Each structure stands twice: as C-alpha cells, then as structure tokens.
Amino acid sequence: MAKDVIIACDFPSKEATLEFLDKFGEERPFVKIGMELFYGAGPEIVRELRRRGHKIFLDLKLHDIPNTVKKAMRVLAAHDINMVNVHAAGTKEMMAAAVQGLAEGTPEGQERPLLLAVTQLTSTSPQALKEQLLIDTPMAETIAHYAANAMEAGLDGVVCSPLEAAVVKEKCGDGFMTITPGIRYPDAAGDDQSRVTTPARAREIGSDYIVVGRPITAAADPVAAYHRVCRDFLQND
Ligand code: C5P
C-alpha cells in the first residue's frame, strides 16, 4: 500500500498557508486541511491547493445524523479531494450514509475520495476514555471495534494513534488503511497529544500515512523537518 507523510496545515488563513507552503519551492507535499483552515479560508483554499498540485486530506471529522452527513459528503466530493473523514462514534448507519453521499457527489470519471473514520482522538487518554466517556473497554479494543464498524460500513480505513495501527490491521486486514497523527520525536514537546510515537516506529507498527503538524509547521526549518520525517517514515519506498 502507498505510504506518505501528510502535513497538517493548521493555519488560520489562506495567506499563512501559502506562505508556509511556498517554503517548499517546487515540492508538493500531501497536505491536510482541517477545521481551522477550512472554516477560516473557506472552500477556496481547497481549490487553490489542488490547482497548485497538492494532494488533499480534508479533515473535517463529520459527526451528525446520517442524512445530514450524507448530504454534506455529496457537496464535499465535488472538491476533488483525496481523503475525507467522519467520526466512527456516529454509528455504522452514519458512516454508510457518508460513503453513499461521497459516491453520489463524485464527478463522472473521477475516483471517489477515500473515506476514513476517526476512532478515538489521539489526544484522548485512557483515563479520559474511562472517566469522561464512560467507556470501560480498554483503548485498543475500543479502537479495533470502531475500525471493524467502519469496515462493515464500507469505509477505506481509520484515523488512529500509530500505537494502535497494529491492532487495526490485525482486526481488519492489511488492506484497511491506517492514517496516524500523534507523531513526535522523543526530544520534542508532546503538545496536547497523548498517544504518540516517532515516524520510524509508526512505520514498524503499520501506519500507511502519518499526519504531522507542529513538529513540521512550528520547526525552525520546516522543510528540513519534513525531509527528516519522510526519511524516517518512508525509508526505502
Ligand atoms: O500538530 P500535530 O502533529 O499534533 O497535528 C496533528 C493533526 O492531526 C491535527 O491537525 C489534529 O487535528 C489531527 N488529528 C489528531 N488526532 C486524530 C485525528 C486528527 O491529532 N484522531
């Protein structure tokens, strides 16, 4: 399966994003547009980054009633994105509706964007899972179960911590994709992330794509930081 590094462009505006991406010259990294950027810059940012030749993961984490999610996905599919996601906690019915909306909205002759489910946010600690969400099942088991639900609903993979990629592959098979944020080097700040590991370890455990934000965007030299992550994660690919 293809492996790649996705940069989380968590910036408030189009200007800030383009200023950051301009540092990469002719290189066109795979980028993630999340809520901050999409809500701040609007859908135009998606068109602009596509025009520039970036692959796009639209990380809007939809979670609503099935009909609302289906209709939202129909609209998002028209944006020529590569990946988009929902929360697995929205149920299998909601996830299946999302697949349907996405398929309906994909223009003729184009491939349907990949649809992923967020299992548990990588900022959620095992303690928060138990004490705040009242989920007594251990984290890894919860994630494997949510991943199986996503697979049954027709999704292509899940977003999870790299530490759980192996459990997901074991439960759902190697062809079911794992996209993993929560990437940190031991010498760096963890920020608000809880379940983290390094790019090389993420590769060993079975991540197909890693999503890296602040370790690249907040680095003194973002391009060098990106290349370090690519070297460690992609190795000989
Ligand atoms: O800066 P950092 O590397 O922590 O960024 C991780 C990115 O991945 C953020 O944009 C965050 O919204 C996203 N993400 C996450 N955990 C998930 C799903 C997405 O951290 N489960």
Side-chain angles (χ1 to χ4, degrees), residues 8 10 32 34 59 61 85 118-123 159-161 181-184 190-193 211-215 217:
D10 292 325
K32 180 175 87 73
D59 178 24
K61 300 187 181 72
N85 59 359
V118 175
T119 51
Q120 288 294 345
L121 295 171
T122 41
S123 54
V159 184
C160 61
S161 149
I183 300 296
R184 289 296 181 273
D191 303 313
D192 54 349
Q193 295 286 16
V211 175
V212 187
R214 288 159 292 182
T217 56

Side-chain angles (χ1 to χ4, degrees), residues 7-104:
I7 303 179
C9 289
D10 292 325
F11 298 109
S13 67
K14 174 175 159 182
E15 292 69 31
T17 307
L18 298 185
E19 192 188 321
F20 170 75
L21 291 173
D22 280 346
K23 297 184 206 290
F24 289 80
E26 295 302 302
E27 214 172 347
R28 293 287 179 266
F30 200 138
V31 295
K32 180 175 87 73
I33 298 175
M35 295 183 202
E36 181 185 9
L37 183 55
F38 192 78
Y39 295 152
E44 170 53 26
I45 187 67
V46 179
R47 288 189 280 272
E48 175 68 28
L49 297 187
R50 281 300 293 157
R51 266 197 299 276
R52 290 177 164 231
H54 293 275
K55 287 187 178 171
I56 295 173
F57 170 20
L58 193 56
D59 178 24
L60 298 181
K61 300 187 181 72
L62 276 67
H63 188 175
D64 208 315
I65 59 170
N67 186 51
T68 301
V69 169
K70 179 166 133 187
K71 291 204 276 188
M73 281 296 175
R74 211 183 273 160
V75 174
L76 292 177
H79 286 307
D80 192 21
I81 48 177
N82 301 87
M83 295 177 183
V84 63
N85 59 359
V86 295
H87 268 285
T91 76
K92 281 199 256 187
E93 288 71 22
M94 188 206 78
M95 290 191 275
V99 179
Q100 203 186 334
L102 208 51
E104 287 171 7

